[in-house]
Amino acid sequence: MIEKRPLIAGPFAHAGLSTPMVMAWVMIALTPATVFGLGLFGWPAIFLFVVTVGTAVAAEVACLRLAGKPLATLGDGSAVLSGWILALSLPPWAPWWIGAAGAAIAMVVGKHVFGGLGQNLFNPAMVARVALLISFPLEMTRYVAPRPIHSAVAPDVREALAVTFGIGGRADLDAVSSASLLGHAKTELARGVPLSDALAGGFDPWQLFLGNAVGSLGETSALLLLLGGALLLALRVISWHVPAALLLGVAVPAAACHALDPERFLPPLTHALAASTVFGALFIATDLVTSPVTRAGQLIYGAGCGVLIFVIRTWGGYPEGMAFAVLLMNAATPLIDRWVRPRVYGRDRKGRPLPVREAGR
Amino acid sequence: MRLFRIKGGVHPAERKDATREKAVEDAPLAARLVLPLQQHIGAPAKPLVKPGDRVLKGQPIAAPAGPVSAAIHASTSGTVESVGPQPVPHPSGLPAPAIVLIPDGRDAWCEPMLSLGPYAAPEAIAERVAEAGIVGLGGATFPSAVKLNLRARHRLDTLVMNGAECEPFLTCDDRLMREHTSELIQGVALMARALGVSRAVIAIERNKPEATAAMTGAAAAYREIAIAPVPTRYPMGSEKHLVQALTGRETPAKALTADIGVVVHNIATAFAVYEAVILGRPLVSRILTVSGGAIARPTNLRVPLGTPIRHLIDVCGGLTETPQELLSGGPMMGQPLRSTEIPTVKGMNGVLALLPSDTRRGPAHACLRCGTCVAACPCGLLPFEIAAHVRNGDFAAALEAGLMDCIGCGSCAFACPSRIPLVQSFHHAKGHVAAEARRKQRADEAKRLAQAKAEREARLAAERKAEMARKKAAADKARAEAGAE
Ligand code: SF4
Ligand code: SF4
């Protein structure tokens, strides 16, 4: 038994986790929040989700073909996941072309222009979200109040076709639209209404936590997102560094400002539970490709995302800043990775060998 | 005992249950033994026998060639069949010179060397260890006597005995510590004596409570010997990391642990030292683990050196199915064996026949820059970055990024979800860099020789010229004097 084959080196053991499994676990972790969101916003949301994920896969196939890369790469699941995450971040009753255009932007501009999986500088789904927000501000900020799929107010399939695809006449969305918590607070503050009056209508943090709130398709339920995140943390698919730093990055300045002037600044708990904070902390900012590679770098990156989210929400032109914050920190990631490096064993921080001191000191 | 933190590392599935309760058995003699002349780091030994010679067990059959080399002894009595190239465990897969011995079945010992007793002089211990052909038995195979003589050049204070056995599957050191406790402790005391240190620490991973208990009991009588249970984490057995965990001292880059006062030996080496110094026996056999999913009856064996792997597998009931990988050593840093004809050598602490479910090999995917390898690396490197430089053929950048600080432990590749062959790429780059250095050295040497030759010729020419001028002057003077007469 003599074999001839190329040199192969160890290790001949493996931790077991693979890239497709990483993607699959993230999808599994997203499933509860996704199912909840689809149920909460009914058939239009389901249509939008299918269109977005489908377009992402189609765009990935087209890009791989064009680049002459093997289609097997599709098996890593990253395209499905990008489409999925994008869909969850869209207004649930957005028209189909928002999802389709977003998914195409995510795959082409967000990923393949950079050379494919692992090469991209920016989180593809967030590139798409920001591009859509800038190009179609109306469609991207028109939210609806929850209409659970089994309830009387839920649109049936025919009405849903009208909402998403405009089939059988346009639906009048303005009639049903509703403001998200952050959007409402922002407009009221701009009108000079203090927060105690603006929020008097009863924004219940408990409802925010459960997810029975106005918001993007899959971002509403902090509870279910946290459950999914806990699964990923337990499986070590993600580490705690980015989520923890991000949440603190939002909560600490929010708490400080709220303490100074509760009439102008939302309380930290609202910041933490509202809109995409939890979703961003656990599923977006933790994107392995576009976050720093060292633990220390991840802490800086997470905290940066958090602070930027707070700053954009509070003083920026948009009620929600997660996507912008993540993109800005994505851009800073190469810099962070350049400066925050582990110290090499036996060397000082500058890379010089440690001095040889004789024993017996 | 206080322990210090080391960074990185991984927790591979231990897989030790298959053999940890299997007492060491004596492997029966094979029909033919192959003893490679190089079973150690350094120069290959010089054969002392020729085909047809009859030898006794323990008789030297090859002598060390130079200061870093090791003697080789007949591992049983019999006849030398040949001296020449044979398959050996070497990553290149190329055959190398070896002495082939046909056992006569009597297993007759030659006259043993004199026992030196427990109070032998340090020099005498080191000399005996050299005579006995002992090398690092944990797989490093560095001649042990050279390391025992380090006191000459370094101020040493601590001997660390590595009984961590952090590789999955392997339990031979565990068994040795449980079955030969008192011999081991005596061996450690001898080694501490040879080194002239007043402190010896035996590090054992926490997954071996029986061994720890036994060794602690036996060491109680020795003031200088301490047992240190260390966390079960790969690569705890890495020399520099073990020293750091035990003493808090970090070995500077490019330096030896001896530079910070510590010498590390494998625990199995202590047993060989005991046998050589107290019993007067050279190193002719070793204990190893035969395991892995494809081995019918995994166990620990005491094996005469030179025994073919095939024989060991047969002793263990053969293979249940064709293994995906046949290894010498553990799965993390072991070497693939290309043939079952390859003999057991001094540094072989395990023979593993692994199934796909053991190796969990899978297709490679694109690097995600996820940083998992960074968190796993015990040396503070960015493995994915070094690998990317190597892939681009930029070896200078790979060196700059710390290629030579990599200890090849495999933690990064073990953890990488995209299964990037990181270690393979580092091996490739290190080989390339070494070849490049050799080429440069040869070129420099040629240049130096050419320059020296040119200088010599110039000097000779100048001397000839001076000589001629002197002669001419003398002749002129003689002529002038003659003219004056
Ligand atoms: S663990 Fe693998 S995929 Fe992740 S950064 Fe390292 S090499 Fe790349
Ligand atoms: S093989 Fe080298 S780079 Fe990889 S973890 Fe070990 S020391 Fe670090």
Side-chain angles (χ1 to χ4, degrees):
Chain A
M1 179 177 141
I2 296 236
E3 340 167 31
K4 284 255 174 287
R5 60 181 170 132
L7 268 189
I8 171 155
F12 301 94
H14 194 271
L17 206 59
S18 70
T19 296
M21 274 166 72
V22 166
M23 305 289 170
W25 278 118
V26 176
M27 291 183 221
I28 289 170
L30 280 172
T31 300
T34 307
V35 170
F36 176 80
L38 294 178
L40 194 65
F41 298 110
W43 283 106
I46 296 174
F47 291 152
L48 182 67
F49 183 79
V50 172
V51 166
T52 310
V53 173
T55 312
V57 172
E60 169 103 340
V61 170
C63 288
L64 290 174
R65 277 265 164 77
L66 270 177
K69 289 186 190 162
L71 284 186
T73 315
L74 202 60
D76 62 30
S78 61
V80 174
L81 185 57
S82 289
W84 190 323
I85 287 182
L86 174 64
L88 296 192
S89 76
L90 296 176
W93 284 21
W96 68 273
W97 51 265
I98 284 278
I105 293 170
M107 286 297 107
V108 180
V109 183
K111 182 166 159 193
H112 283 282
V113 161
F114 289 94
L117 181 64
Q119 309 286 317
N120 47 313
L121 187 58
F122 298 102
N123 185 318
M126 291 306 102
V127 169
R129 185 169 176 175
V130 163
L132 291 172
L133 198 56
I134 294 171
S135 320
F136 310 105
L138 188 66
E139 284 79 2
M140 284 299 287
T141 50
R142 192 157 51 197
Y143 289 94
V144 292
R147 284 152 197 273
I149 196 158
H150 46 76
S151 70
V153 288
D156 60 23
V157 175
R158 207 171 40 79
E159 287 163 328
L161 286 172
V163 169
T164 310
F165 298 102
I167 298 173
R170 288 225 148 267
D172 180 13
L173 282 183
D174 288 332
V176 294
S177 76
S178 175
S180 69
L181 171 64
L182 291 180
H184 175 71
K186 188 154 203 100
T187 14
E188 294 297 294
L189 278 174
R191 291 200 300 136
V193 181
L195 279 178
S196 54
D197 294 346
L199 300 184
F203 273 108
D204 181 358
W206 183 241
Q207 288 301 323
L208 272 185
F209 183 64
L210 293 179
N212 191 14
V214 179
S216 298
L217 205 167
E219 293 178 348
T220 55
S221 175
L223 171 67
L224 296 177
L225 290 167
L226 284 170
L227 272 181
L231 175 72
L232 296 186
L233 283 168
L235 291 166
R236 295 182 187 239
V237 170
I238 60 174
S239 73
W240 57 267
H241 302 76
V242 170
L246 189 149
L247 291 176
L248 282 178
V250 176
V252 170
C257 289
H258 181 70
L260 285 177
D261 188 351
E263 287 301 344
R264 282 214 309 125
F265 298 100
L266 288 166
L269 188 66
T270 311
H271 269 292
L273 293 180
S276 37
T277 316
V278 171
F279 183 56
L282 291 166
F283 294 96
I284 309 254
T286 48
D287 173 38
L288 299 171
V289 177
T290 55
S291 57
V293 295
T294 59
R295 296 293 186 229
Q298 288 164 6
L299 289 175
I300 297 174
Y301 166 90
C305 285
V307 171
L308 282 173
I309 289 174
F310 171 75
V311 167
I312 295 171
R313 278 179 185 173
T314 311
W315 292 287
Y318 292 90
E320 172 54 333
M322 199 271 295
F324 290 104
V326 167
L327 287 189
L328 283 171
M329 290 313 289
N330 284 165
T333 293
L335 216 63
I336 297 175
D337 274 341
R338 177 108 168 233
W339 292 112
V340 185
R341 285 171 161 266
R343 184 175 67 79
V344 176
Y345 185 97
R347 294 183 183 272
D348 65 14
R349 286 240 159 250
K350 294 217 172 86
R352 295 171 303 210
L354 295 176
V356 175
R357 277 178 307 242
E358 277 290 323
R361 81 229 72 147
Chain B
M1 186 169 158
R2 182 170 164 219
L3 292 179
F4 297 82
R5 250 182 64 80
I6 58 172
K7 64 180 157 193
V10 289
H11 294 93
E14 290 179 15
R15 314 298 304 273
K16 293 181 192 264
D17 287 341
T19 54
R20 60 183 309 150
E21 296 309 325
K22 299 281 180 65
V24 177
E25 306 166 33
D26 278 312
L29 265 180
R32 183 171 176 269
L33 303 181
V34 176
L35 294 144
L37 293 176
Q38 182 159 35
Q39 303 184 34
H40 48 263
I41 289 178
K46 283 196 305 267
L48 300 171
V49 291
K50 53 186 191 314
D53 284 1
R54 297 197 46 81
V55 294
L56 289 171
K57 183 173 185 176
Q59 179 183 330
I61 53 173
V68 182
S69 185
I72 292 163
H73 302 77
S75 33
T76 187
S77 58
T79 314
V80 174
E81 182 196 74
S82 64
V83 180
Q86 293 290 333
V88 296
H90 188 272
S92 72
L94 297 174
I99 296 171
V100 180
L101 189 60
I102 304 298
D104 59 14
R106 293 187 302 133
D107 206 24
W109 275 95
C110 67
E111 198 58 34
M113 297 177 276
L114 274 184
S115 170
L116 300 178
Y119 303 111
E123 296 78 15
I125 297 173
E127 196 186 318
R128 171 59 59 85
V129 167
E131 258 176 287
I134 299 173
V135 303
L137 295 183
T141 69
F142 193 81
S144 301
V146 179
K147 268 169 106 177
L148 287 180
N149 275 326
L150 281 172
R151 72 183 176 301
R153 261 181 298 143
H154 298 270
R155 257 175 57 205
L156 305 174
D157 55 27
T158 306
L159 163 66
V160 167
M161 295 305 297
N162 184 355
E165 202 167 50
C166 59
E167 280 270 11
F169 287 104
L170 304 187
T171 58
C172 54
D173 288 352
D174 186 8
R175 291 312 308 181
L176 194 61
M177 289 189 276
R178 287 156 76 174
E179 295 177 30
H180 294 280
T181 318
S182 123
E183 293 93 323
L184 278 181
I185 296 285
Q186 292 179 59
V188 173
L190 285 166
M191 294 168 87
R193 224 179 133 68
L195 285 166
V197 298
S198 55
R199 188 163 84 119
V201 183
I202 304 174
I204 307 172
E205 274 193 355
R206 296 221 172 90
N207 58 4
K208 293 180 262 296
E210 301 89 352
T212 308
M215 296 286 281
T216 308
Y222 293 78
R223 211 160 23 90
E224 74 274 27
I225 300 179
I227 310 295
V230 293
T232 304
R233 176 154 54 130
Y234 182 87
M236 195 40 91
S238 149
E239 199 168 282
K240 292 178 176 182
H241 292 88
L242 187 58
V243 167
Q244 190 179 26
L246 294 174
T247 66
R249 298 180 205 162
E250 184 170 331
T251 313
K254 296 184 186 156
L256 303 171
T257 58
D259 290 319
I260 55 168
V262 186
V263 173
V264 184
H265 282 280
N266 190 270
I267 191 69
T269 309
F271 187 65
V273 169
Y274 164 83
E275 288 201 311
V277 178
I278 304 296
L279 305 183
R281 285 186 185 167
L283 181 65
V284 290
S285 65
R286 73 153 298 144
I287 295 173
L288 54 75
T289 302
V290 184
S291 188
I295 298 283
R297 200 178 59 83
T299 191
N300 289 296
L301 294 176
R302 179 196 283 264
V303 183
L305 295 175
T307 306
I309 303 300
R310 179 179 37 75
H311 185 72
L312 303 184
I313 295 175
D314 289 346
V315 169
C316 293
L319 296 170
T320 52
E321 52 190 294
T322 310
Q324 184 187 43
E325 208 59 66
L326 190 64
L327 294 185
S328 150
M332 296 300 286
M333 287 185 79
Q335 293 288 338
L337 294 170
R338 287 162 180 250
S339 150
T340 48
E341 290 312 312
I342 285 175
T344 307
V345 292
K346 293 176 181 177
M348 209 177 260
N349 49 4
V351 170
L352 302 183
L354 301 181
L355 296 177
S357 55
D358 301 323
T359 65
R360 301 203 210 169
R361 190 172 294 159
H365 290 273
C367 171
L368 300 175
R369 293 179 47 86
C370 64
T372 309
C373 53
V374 179
C377 179
C379 293
L381 301 170
L382 304 183
F384 75 94
E385 193 186 73
I386 305 181
H389 289 316
V390 174
R391 199 163 40 243
N392 296 335
D394 192 347
F395 295 102
L399 283 173
E400 183 68 18
L403 177 64
M404 289 307 171
D405 292 305
C406 163
I407 56 171
C409 67
S411 301
C412 51
F414 171 83
C416 172
S418 285
R419 288 184 164 75
I420 315 259
L422 296 161
V423 176
Q424 196 162 344
S425 124
F426 304 155
H427 281 340
H428 164 70
K430 284 176 187 171
H432 179 94
V433 168
E436 210 34 36
R438 273 197 303 276
R439 204 185 53 72
K440 182 163 181 306
Q441 201 185 2
R442 265 202 306 275
D444 286 353
E445 182 65 11
K447 205 163 120 197
R448 198 182 60 75
L449 286 177
Q451 207 171 352
K453 188 169 169 221
E455 273 168 21
R456 200 168 56 239
E457 279 168 358
R459 200 180 60 236
L460 283 180
E463 276 169 14
R464 264 199 307 275
K465 219 163 130 194
E467 175 76 354
M468 257 151 68
R470 199 178 53 75
K471 276 190 183 146
K472 186 161 176 284
D476 286 352
K477 194 166 162 226
R479 215 176 301 128
E481 276 168 12
E485 269 175 17

